Amino acid sequence: MRKTDNAALWEFREAATSTFARKATLASLMVAGVFSIGRLADWWFREEHVASLPLYLLLTFIFWWGIARMVIVWVSYLRISKPRWQAPQDGLRVAIFTTSSPGEPLSMFEKTLEACARISYPHTTYLLDDTQDPRFREAAERHGAVWLELVGLPGAKAGKINAALQRTTEDFVLVLDPDHIPFPNFLDEVLGYFRDPQVGYVQVAQAYYNQYRSFTARAAAEQTYGFYGPTQMGMHGLNCAVAIGANCTFRRAALDSIGGHGIGLAEDLITAIRIHAAQWKSIYSPIVVSRGLVPEDLGSFCKQQLKWARGVQEVLFAEVPRLWPKLSFWQRVSYLTVGTYYLSGLTTALFLLIPYLYFWFGWLPANMDFFGFLDHWLPVGLVSLSIYVFVQRWLCHPEAERGLHWRGTFLKFACWPVFFMGFVLSIWDGEIPYIPTAKRAVKQFTPFVRPLLVHQVLFVATLAYVVVRRFYYTPEARLELTSANTWGMVLFAALAFFMTLGGLYAAYQSLKTKAEDPWASVDLTRITDRLQPARKHKSAA
Amino acid sequence: MKTIAYRASATLLVIFLGLCVFSLLVFAGSKSRGPLEDLAAGVTSKVAYLEKSMAGGYSRTGRAAALQRFDRYRTQTGLLNAPDTLLTGVYDNNTEESYESVTTLEDSLGFKLPIIHFYTAWGSRKDQGFPQLRAQTISDLGSVPMITWEPWLNDFDPAVYPVPGKPSQVNANGLTAIAAGKYDAYIDKWARDAKAFGKPFFLRFGHEMNDPYRYPWGPQNNKPADFIAAWRHVVTRFRLQGATNASWVWSPHPAYTTYREFYPGAAYVNWVGITTLNYGTVAPWSKWYTFDEIFGKAYDEFSHYGKPLMISEIGSLGVGGNKAQWFKDALASMPFKYPAVKAVVLFNNSNDVSTTYKALDWSITLDKPVLTAVREAVGGWHPATASPAL
């Protein structure tokens, strides 16, 4: 399937505005949700449900952790808002920073630099280069960009950005990932917000153009749709919108006030929390004014996730406590929620363990009747699903992004070992291990797939053990009364087995995905921002 | 002022709409819960049955095969209600997940027990409906299920079974409410599920109804006539549902001679059950009674009803006398002395908290002298009862 040149992707997009009726509907759903959760809690926390207290507490933690996060997201949805577009002032001095590193394909830079040149608001593009490859300099100069050689700086991208800040003077800096192809109206869309002198940075959506190339790519993209739509819009409403490292335009004064761009595995988040703590305002604008690449193979995706999981928890341990007094209430909630996102690796691992504890040791965490649970959980589930679907009206590109995002769910499930590893590493303050990128010629399974394979083998072996034990070694007098618990737990474990198949499929497909240069088929002349002619900067007319 | 009114009304509207959605979901849940639970119970018992028939070939070697000679009672209500032998049985409290405690006891006794007894209460909870899986388990193990069915009324959902007055007083005049049909939905459902079970079972409803100190269905809340009316009503509901596989065990306490006033009538009773527990000197109000002292007095009167008699709970504590001797005296001459007794059900409860503050241990599983006494006593029955060797 080759849809990277699909014209619909190369149009300016923006999320819907929030109206009173929409908010009222959403709020009604949330009231129903809160009552349903109250009813569920009233049922859950009953003494008769405790089978083994430690396990019950563990199960309660896993389950209510998820519910609490969901409620926090709901509350932020109530504050969904979209900043009102303002025409940028004339004569602002704007820099675009994009970085290149050894091994990155030159042709991608050709495309990105050419697209930068087509951005209509006057600006200077800088290529922050440490490839030591003369062709990169030639490409930059051919597209009117300034080439800055920044070799051997610590802190990867952020180190180069800080060095470039020293060597430039523009008041506004757009940090653009080199795989992102900006639309001509990019700066016209964001610069107006800096009329408010309090605004420190303006983040826009990250959208992709290669999600159709593989299951992993599509699943990874699906995981981001909600975040760049209703979630960040809600965070914007609470002045908590986070910078995402790419597609973020900073006010130089804001970066200066925190001593430059943050350095670390989650440098974007470090920068955002520091700018918030320095009392700057943040803007999130739900618009698509660039499209980039999402990882296409499972190995790259997992590497990216591991880096984030480790980095985000570093922010939780290192930045949040330090900056706590300077953050607003909702900023605290927001950074705590973001900082603990990858804890789902731990909760999923524990969740997976439950049926095995029963099979191996006969431990049951709770005496909960399945239908009693269903009766109390279903209203919560249905309301939550309704809210999930309802807020999709605030996606940046609803026609393409709507749905139940089952691929994203499968992939997130399959990544629990990655998140878990990130969690463990951040407790130990360990380094991310070096995981070589599979050479394109040598096709092999990514090492991230091993825990999944172990899980599958464990399931099959345990199933065999259960069947043999039940059929040959269980006393007749025990068989029937334990049948429901045993096969119920088998079903529970089988669900995880089934979910893991998604990850294995992604790994298998990653073996066969042909390496291509998706940017090659992108025709920059077909990018349309015509939907918003009024907003175009007059210099481009 | 206008803004405040606007905002307040918007908030109220949102809360109202949210409550509507919530109520709708809960309503839909309560409407679909019953059928879904039935479906789940059906699937659960089918899976349990299938698994058992596939596993280990228990049909030939299992407990049911050893109890095959009792199959005619287990499968035909008519024979169960007019038995020509003396059946033995047990209640054991450690049977949550397994009847191994029963098979262990049987191994020690040297004979199998064709009746397995358990208790269940009335109520709205899922585990208070007809205990389908447990009845099936007992039946598949080759025994007749005996269910003591206790009409506690506090566990009913007040939304479905409204009662006048405070919820704490739901048991006052409870039997009148039952007789008036207030709980028919529950009774009918239970009866239909019992009918679907299909095999005969003992149903001991509202036991020890003449004991004024025990259960809420006793004389402290109800008159004898109320009990009779409730009993007849329940039996009639079962008959209307076609649940004729229930064998009704009317089971008063012999210590209170008022029991005559509670007899519901020959047309509504299949068996007469008598509790015979010796508390020994465990409490100030108790003393050591032999079996004959407890049961003998009542036997003549009970046998006049013309129904088979069942010692529905037989047991003795060990405080104040010789427990093994008590069992020997009770059982050895049973078929000769008390020929109307057709069933003896051991009360093998290691943790009885129903009478005293301290848990009482009635169990005999680990008591070698008692096991020997019971084994020898029951072993001596065959000539008198002409029943096949156990």
Side-chain angles (χ1 to χ4, degrees):
Chain A
M1 233 190 320
R2 285 201 45 196
K3 289 190 185 167
T4 53
D5 51 353
N6 180 350
L9 294 178
W10 300 103
E11 278 175 27
F12 170 81
R13 303 277 171 184
E14 62 183 323
T17 49
S18 78
T19 64
F20 174 76
R22 285 170 186 169
K23 278 282 177 65
T25 312
L26 193 58
S28 306
L29 283 172
M30 276 173 215
V31 169
V34 167
F35 276 97
S36 305
I37 289 172
R39 181 168 169 270
L40 176 64
D42 171 55
W43 177 84
W44 182 282
F45 296 100
R46 286 184 192 170
E47 205 184 339
E48 76 224 34
H49 285 154
V50 183
S52 137
L53 188 64
L55 284 181
Y56 172 82
L57 291 177
L58 194 68
L59 184 71
T60 300
F61 163 71
I62 298 171
F63 186 79
W64 287 93
W65 174 260
I67 300 268
R69 295 188 70 91
M70 186 173 79
V71 171
I72 291 173
V73 173
W74 286 359
V75 172
S76 76
Y77 285 162
L78 278 180
R79 299 293 289 271
I80 278 180
S81 80
K82 191 176 156 185
R84 203 184 170 82
W85 180 82
Q86 289 172 285
Q89 288 171 297
D90 282 334
L92 298 178
R93 299 182 59 242
V94 187
I96 297 178
F97 285 180
T98 190
T99 57
S100 56
S101 298
E104 289 178 326
L106 179 66
S107 57
M108 184 173 85
F109 285 86
E110 298 268 8
K111 190 67 81 176
T112 303
L113 291 167
E114 189 189 344
C116 286
R118 300 171 77 97
I119 291 180
S120 43
Y121 193 95
H123 64 278
T124 311
T125 305
Y126 295 88
L127 180 66
L128 285 48
D129 182 34
D130 71 348
T131 58
Q132 296 181 293
D133 179 345
R135 293 177 301 158
F136 279 77
R137 179 180 189 169
E138 284 162 25
E141 284 166 0
R142 196 161 53 247
H143 294 292
V146 177
W147 174 77
L148 296 177
E149 180 157 49
L150 302 163
V151 181
L153 292 164
K157 191 174 102 179
K160 279 196 266 183
I161 290 172
N162 284 338
L165 284 170
Q166 302 286 323
R167 291 162 64 170
T168 56
T169 58
E170 284 84 355
D171 297 318
F172 300 95
V173 177
L174 162 61
V175 177
L176 191 71
D177 269 3
D179 62 342
H180 274 258
I181 297 172
F183 294 6
N185 61 334
F186 195 123
L187 293 173
D188 297 297
E189 286 295 332
V190 300
L191 289 174
Y193 301 120
F194 288 107
R195 283 175 182 267
D196 178 350
Q198 287 294 106
V199 169
Y201 60 85
V202 178
Q203 176 68 49
V204 298
Q206 273 201 45
Y208 308 100
Y209 64 93
N210 67 330
Q211 60 265 53
Y212 301 104
R213 287 188 28 88
S214 74
F215 180 83
T216 305
R218 184 135 187 216
E222 281 181 359
Q223 288 181 3
T224 68
Y225 293 156
F227 182 75
Y228 291 115
T231 307
Q232 277 268 56
M233 287 172 82
M235 289 162 88
H236 169 75
L238 296 161
N239 192 30
C240 303
V242 289
I244 306 300
N247 287 343
C248 189
T249 313
F250 293 95
R251 185 191 294 275
R252 177 183 286 266
L255 285 175
D256 285 349
S257 74
I258 59 161
H261 200 284
I263 292 176
L265 286 169
E267 52 201 27
D268 40 7
L269 202 62
I270 295 173
T271 310
I273 190 172
R274 288 180 182 168
I275 291 181
H276 275 140
Q279 309 302 314
W280 293 94
K281 278 206 279 188
S282 58
I283 297 283
Y284 177 74
S285 182
I287 50 175
V288 176
V289 283
S290 82
R291 281 194 186 265
L293 298 176
V294 69
E296 290 180 10
D297 68 282
L298 187 67
S300 316
F301 179 74
C302 290
K303 252 167 102 168
Q304 182 202 58
Q305 294 289 308
L306 180 59
K307 192 183 128 205
W308 288 350
R310 178 72 184 84
V312 154
Q313 286 171 99
E314 195 176 276
V315 173
L316 180 68
F317 289 124
E319 300 289 325
V320 173
R322 191 170 67 83
L323 301 173
W324 188 259
K326 296 178 186 156
L327 297 173
S328 73
F329 173 77
W330 282 111
Q331 284 167 350
R332 288 172 187 168
V333 173
S334 166
Y335 283 106
L336 279 182
T337 312
V338 173
T340 51
Y341 175 81
Y342 291 101
L343 211 59
S344 70
L346 176 70
T347 55
T348 309
L350 295 172
F351 201 58
L352 290 177
L353 207 59
I354 287 171
Y356 296 97
L357 290 179
Y358 179 71
F359 296 139
W360 299 335
F361 309 111
W363 297 348
L364 266 183
N367 290 320
M368 286 179 186
D369 159 46
F370 178 70
F371 277 82
F373 173 75
L374 214 59
D375 180 19
H376 290 86
W377 178 81
L378 260 184
V380 178
L382 285 174
V383 169
S384 143
L385 186 69
S386 310
I387 291 177
Y388 188 80
V389 171
F390 186 81
V391 297
Q392 290 190 353
R393 68 193 59 243
W394 286 297
L395 294 174
C396 291
H397 187 184
E399 298 84 351
E401 297 176 355
R402 265 183 199 285
L404 293 178
H405 305 149
W406 61 271
R407 293 177 194 81
T409 310
F410 270 84
L411 189 65
K412 187 178 174 193
F413 183 83
C415 279
W416 72 264
V418 180
F419 302 164
F420 185 66
M421 192 172 166
F423 171 75
V424 172
L425 285 174
S426 55
I427 295 290
W428 260 254
D429 201 17
E431 294 285 321
I432 297 253
Y434 173 73
I435 297 151
T437 313
K439 297 281 175 291
R440 278 173 179 168
V442 190
K443 290 286 186 185
Q444 60 177 24
F445 273 120
T446 158
F448 287 109
V449 92
R450 279 181 214 147
L452 302 183
L453 286 171
V454 169
H455 171 263
Q456 302 302 69
V457 169
L458 192 71
F459 172 76
V460 173
T462 304
L463 185 63
Y465 163 69
V466 168
V467 167
V468 168
R469 195 184 52 182
R470 298 283 297 173
F471 277 34
Y472 299 103
Y473 298 101
T474 304
E476 172 193 31
R478 177 173 289 272
L479 209 54
E480 283 187 88
L481 291 179
T482 51
S483 179
N485 272 349
T486 305
W487 298 109
M489 280 293 189
V490 166
L491 214 62
F492 185 42
L495 192 69
F497 178 83
F498 170 72
M499 291 295 288
T500 306
L501 289 178
L504 293 182
Y505 173 70
Y508 168 73
Q509 204 202 30
S510 298
L511 285 180
K512 302 201 304 175
T513 306
K514 278 204 198 95
E516 275 177 37
D517 297 341
W519 51 86
S521 60
V522 176
D523 180 357
L524 295 180
T525 62
R526 286 178 58 200
I527 298 178
T528 53
D529 50 3
R530 67 187 148 76
L531 293 177
Q532 300 292 328
R535 293 192 187 180
K536 231 176 193 173
H537 192 263
K538 48 183 174 294
S539 66
Chain B
M1 199 59 214
K2 212 172 157 188
T3 358
I4 294 172
Y6 173 73
R7 287 188 181 173
S9 52
T11 310
L12 286 176
L13 177 75
V14 159
I15 291 172
F16 172 75
L17 287 174
L19 277 174
C20 286
V21 173
F22 171 67
S23 318
L24 202 72
L25 286 168
V26 172
F27 176 75
S30 68
K31 282 289 151 204
S32 52
R33 194 170 172 188
L36 282 178
E37 274 178 1
D38 285 353
L39 183 71
V43 169
T44 304
S45 56
K46 283 262 159 41
V47 167
Y49 174 76
L50 264 178
E51 189 191 10
K52 190 173 179 202
S53 23
M54 283 159 71
Y58 288 122
S59 52
R60 270 169 288 112
T61 60
R63 190 174 178 276
L67 278 163
Q68 206 174 6
R69 64 182 68 99
F70 293 101
D71 269 2
R72 53 207 195 104
Y73 306 107
R74 193 167 66 82
T75 53
Q76 298 169 63
T77 316
L79 287 178
L80 188 66
N81 289 338
D84 52 4
T85 186
L86 178 45
L87 301 165
T88 52
V90 67
Y91 162 73
D92 190 291
N93 60 316
N94 295 309
T95 53
E96 181 70 26
E97 278 208 316
S98 168
Y99 278 107
E100 281 162 281
S101 54
V102 169
T103 54
T104 304
L105 177 66
E106 288 174 334
D107 291 344
S108 308
L109 289 173
F111 59 87
K112 304 257 183 260
L113 300 157
I115 298 170
I116 295 180
H117 175 202
F118 63 95
Y119 296 77
T120 180
W122 285 36
S124 287
R125 288 205 317 264
K126 193 194 151 218
D127 59 348
Q128 291 167 327
F130 178 75
Q132 188 177 334
L133 183 67
R134 200 160 280 276
Q136 173 185 310
T137 302
I138 293 169
S139 182
D140 288 347
L141 286 169
S143 286
V144 180
M146 170 173 155
I147 303 174
T148 292
W149 198 27
E150 304 182 344
W152 298 89
L153 301 178
N154 6 1
D155 275 349
F156 281 102
D157 180 356
V160 188
Y161 299 94
V163 279
K166 283 189 218 149
S168 55
Q169 287 168 357
V170 64
N171 283 305
N173 298 313
L175 293 179
T176 317
I178 292 172
K182 294 269 196 290
Y183 295 92
D184 280 0
Y186 170 74
I187 299 165
D188 289 355
K189 175 79 172 72
W190 212 96
R192 281 195 300 275
D193 291 344
K195 184 190 175 193
F197 166 63
K199 298 189 185 74
F201 65 100
F202 292 112
L203 188 51
R204 184 170 169 246
F205 165 61
H207 68 300
E208 295 167 24
M209 78 303 289
N210 58 329
D211 181 337
Y213 305 109
R214 265 296 170 85
Y215 301 116
W217 53 91
Q220 70 273 41
N221 285 327
N222 309 277
K223 289 195 243 345
D226 300 334
F227 176 80
I228 293 171
W231 179 285
R232 289 181 174 177
H233 180 76
V234 172
V235 173
T236 307
R237 295 311 303 180
F238 270 64
R239 287 178 181 160
L240 286 174
Q241 299 298 329
T244 51
N245 51 332
S247 179
W248 295 92
V249 183
W250 174 70
S251 189
H253 199 294
Y256 307 96
T257 49
T258 51
Y259 44 71
R260 309 171 190 88
E261 300 161 31
F262 292 86
Y263 188 61
Y268 295 93
V269 172
N270 299 109
W271 281 68
V272 172
I274 301 107
T275 305
T276 315
L277 296 175
N278 168 38
Y279 284 81
T281 55
V282 75
W285 45 262
S286 67
K287 73 185 230 1
W288 187 272
Y289 290 106
T290 65
F291 177 80
D292 287 338
E293 282 171 330
I294 303 167
F295 181 73
K297 274 195 290 177
Y299 175 75
D300 289 338
E301 196 157 342
F302 282 120
S303 50
H304 281 144
Y305 289 124
K307 303 287 179 183
L309 300 190
M310 169 192 283
I311 316 294
S312 43
E313 294 175 18
I314 187 169
S316 172
L317 295 175
V319 192
N322 185 333
K323 191 170 170 179
Q325 189 63 43
W326 190 93
F327 272 99
K328 190 180 176 208
D329 293 345
L331 295 174
S333 54
M334 181 80 73
F336 320 102
K337 214 165 169 183
Y338 305 117
V341 173
K342 295 297 178 193
V344 179
V345 181
L346 298 165
F347 189 63
N348 199 42
N349 188 351
S350 60
N351 186 32
D352 174 16
V353 289
S354 68
T355 317
T356 53
Y357 291 112
K358 210 176 61 177
L360 300 177
D361 183 2
W362 300 92
S363 69
I364 62 169
T365 307
L366 299 174
D367 194 330
K368 284 241 166 72
V370 174
L371 291 170
T372 309
V374 173
R375 182 170 61 238
E376 287 174 2
V378 172
W381 285 357
H382 321 189
T385 57
S387 78
L390 286 155

